[in-house]
Each structure stands twice: as C-alpha cells, then as structure tokens.
Amino acid sequence: MTCVLPVVGEDGLTRMVRSCVAGPTFDGTAVRWADVGTVPADCVGAPRTS
Amino acid sequence: MADLATSVGTLGLPTPVLTASGCAAAGRELAPFVDLARIGGVVTKSIMANPRSGRPTPRMAETPSGMLNSIGLQGPGVDAFLADDLPWLLAQGARAVVSVAGGSTAEFVAVAEKVADAAAGSVRPVAVEVNISCPNVANRGLVFACDPVASAEVVGAVREVLPATLPVWAKLSPDVTDVTAIAAAALDAGADALSLVNTTLGMAIDRATLRPVLAGVTGGLSGPAIRPLAVRCVYQVAAAFPGVPIVGIGGIRTGGDALEFLAAGASAVQVGTAIFGDPSAPQRVADELSDALDALGVARVADVVGAAHRPRPTQGDT
C-alpha cells in the first residue's frame, strides 16, 4: 500500500492522500479500498490516457 | 562557535543547510519539528502547471543505505501552490526556494511565469530551482538533464521569464557521462548556481514475486548510498568552474557529511532523505556542522568551501 491512498474529500473529489501526514486515521468510508494501489482515473490530477 | 552564514551567489543564508526538494513538501509538515525561519531555507517540492496525482503504489522502497522513490511529481499545481502553500511558507519567515518542473520547455516557462507574477507582489521566493531531471515528453521521455542542449533550452527559457534579481539554480542529474558538460550548458544558459545532484536511477526486485518492487519499475536512488557519487560531482564541477556557486545534495545525514560537500566546493547543502527518518535533520546537521568547524579550528563556513581543491601541504609547511 505504502503511503498514499485514494480518499474522497468533502467536495466529492478523490485525491491521493498521504496516510503518513494526512492520516493515519481516516473515515473508512472515504477510502476507496477497491482502488488502493492504483490511481483512479477520476482522481484529481490523474494521468491522462489520451 | 563557527559562523555558519554563507552565500549562494548573491543570496545570503544564515546557515548552509536547506531542505532538499521533495522531502518536505512546502514545509508545513516539517514545522512541528524545526523552526523553518532558522534553517538555511526550504526548497519546495517541484511544482508543475497542473495538479498531479502521482504514480500508483508502491512508490518507495528501502535499499541498503538509501531508498528508491517513484512518486511521479504529485502536487497541487502551480496556481494552488502560489495561492496557499508558498504564502504559508513565507509567513513562517522561511527562505523559500521554489522548485519548478515540466514535461516540456513550455510547461517550465508557464510555471516560471506564474512564479514571476507572484514574486512581483508579496509572494517572493529567494530563488528558483529548475528540476531538469524530468522526462521530456517531446523527446521520447529523455530526461532534460541528460542532454546539454535540452538542459540549456529549459534553463535559458526559465531564466528569461524570471526577474534578474531572482536567482536561478539548475539542479543536475548524476546520470550522465560528464556532469561538467551539462553544468557548462546550464551556466551558459544563465543559471546563477548549480544544485548537485538529483537522485540516480535505480531499481529493486521483490525476491518473492520476482517483480519490480516499485509500481513505476524504476525510481530515484537517494540517501547515504549516493553520497560519494554526489561529492564527486560537486568536486568535478567546482574544479571545472571555479567560483560558480554550488549547492551540494546527496545523502547528507550528519554535519560531517555536509562538511565533505563544502570542502568539495559547495557553499550550501540540502538535506533530503535523512528528513524521513529524522525531521529535525536540517537543524541538527547545521548544529553538527558548527561543531565540526569548531573542532577544525575554522571560524567561518567560507573558509572551508573548496578546501579539497587546495594543494596538499608539502613536508615542512606549517
């Protein structure tokens, strides 16, 4: 997993959040567990595929 | 007690120890551990034009006496950085060196122009460090810093859009055959100082899965493992370009490590990887450097800068 997790913010946007600094405790429902280890395509600043 | 004041070209610093880019974001996470106004300066994480999520995980791997990272330049983008992060850092009294990056010369220029606009107001860094260890999208991902022509193009373009009063530091890669050739290109293009060196490319394999440890496959190797390589680059560039301001970077963990870089020709240093294990390292290294200078009977940092280039005393000299 290392440091960053895809976490949904209060604005509804997903950001890669550093668990070492912004955590280590998050609201579990805000973590996109199924996407851990990836950068979801709808994440803020996600690499563009085209 | 030795006088730690130093200068990088025209820029005066109270101590020669700064943070290295990418190891303290924009300083906020270090503030609980060190007085940001007391250390030499904070070099911010490289900022690009747009927000970036960074690469998938794992992004970091521990290696003998070092670490690999493949973060992918995660960041908020230059607009958010200039609106939120940099003003906060300056409000702490820190000397901020803004690291700029880009996937093209145009992106470097776009970021630098916004930094210049901010600097024209009250959001003024003390210098801009150009991170040319970025893949050049227009040239099959070849890192700018590995090509003297591309290095000069980026450094010259950034220099052109920044005010002459704002020093430009070019941060070079050690992954080249002749670092002095890249240094020459950067200096000819208008760099006011050279930051030596960035990470060197490395890789680790998971011995159970036989797959690369990092999701990005390769990563930048940093930490004490690369210190001799970095000292060598500083020494070679200082020998080739006497008097050119150099900021030494690479595996500095103690005041004695910093002293090596100063003797090789650097007038300031940056502490990076050590921060992850000891967030107080930028201040501690400065304190240890002071002790090391005292032990040598040296009164000022300037007295040891480039000392390794002086002829060895011959027998009978006092």
Side-chain angles (χ1 to χ4, degrees), chain A residues 3-41:
Chain A
C3 180
V4 287
L5 300 167
V7 175
V8 182
E10 290 180 0
D11 56 5
L13 298 176
T14 297
R15 294 179 177 82
M16 299 303 285
V17 177
R18 290 174 298 168
S19 53
C20 56
V21 175
T25 305
F26 294 107
D27 174 355
T29 61
V31 177
R32 290 173 56 167
W33 295 105
D35 295 320
V36 167
T38 72
V39 177

Side-chain angles (χ1 to χ4, degrees), chain B residues 214-235:
Chain B
L214 295 172
V217 181
T218 61
L221 179 64
S222 63
I226 72 162
R227 194 177 65 245
L229 177 158
V231 170
R232 180 266 297 173
C233 288
V234 169
Y235 185 92

Side-chain angles (χ1 to χ4, degrees), chain B residues 1-100:
Chain B
M1 185 193 260
D3 179 5
L4 290 183
T6 189
S7 60
V8 178
T10 56
L11 175 63
L13 301 171
T15 94
V17 184
L18 302 88
T19 67
S21 180
C23 300
R28 212 181 293 250
E29 61 216 49
L30 271 195
F33 305 99
V34 293
D35 181 348
L36 298 176
R38 198 170 155 223
I39 61 176
V42 174
V43 184
T44 66
K45 180 166 176 62
S46 295
I47 196 73
M48 301 183 79
N50 298 306
R52 283 169 66 99
S53 63
R55 294 204 178 95
T57 58
R59 296 174 168 189
M60 298 170 82
E62 189 172 346
T63 59
S65 297
M67 58 169 262
L68 290 164
N69 88 82
S70 173
I71 306 299
L73 289 169
Q74 180 168 350
V78 67
D79 291 336
F81 171 78
L82 292 174
D84 303 324
D85 297 339
L86 186 55
W88 180 90
L89 181 57
L90 295 173
Q92 311 311 305
R95 283 155 292 279
V97 177
V98 172
S99 173
V100 298

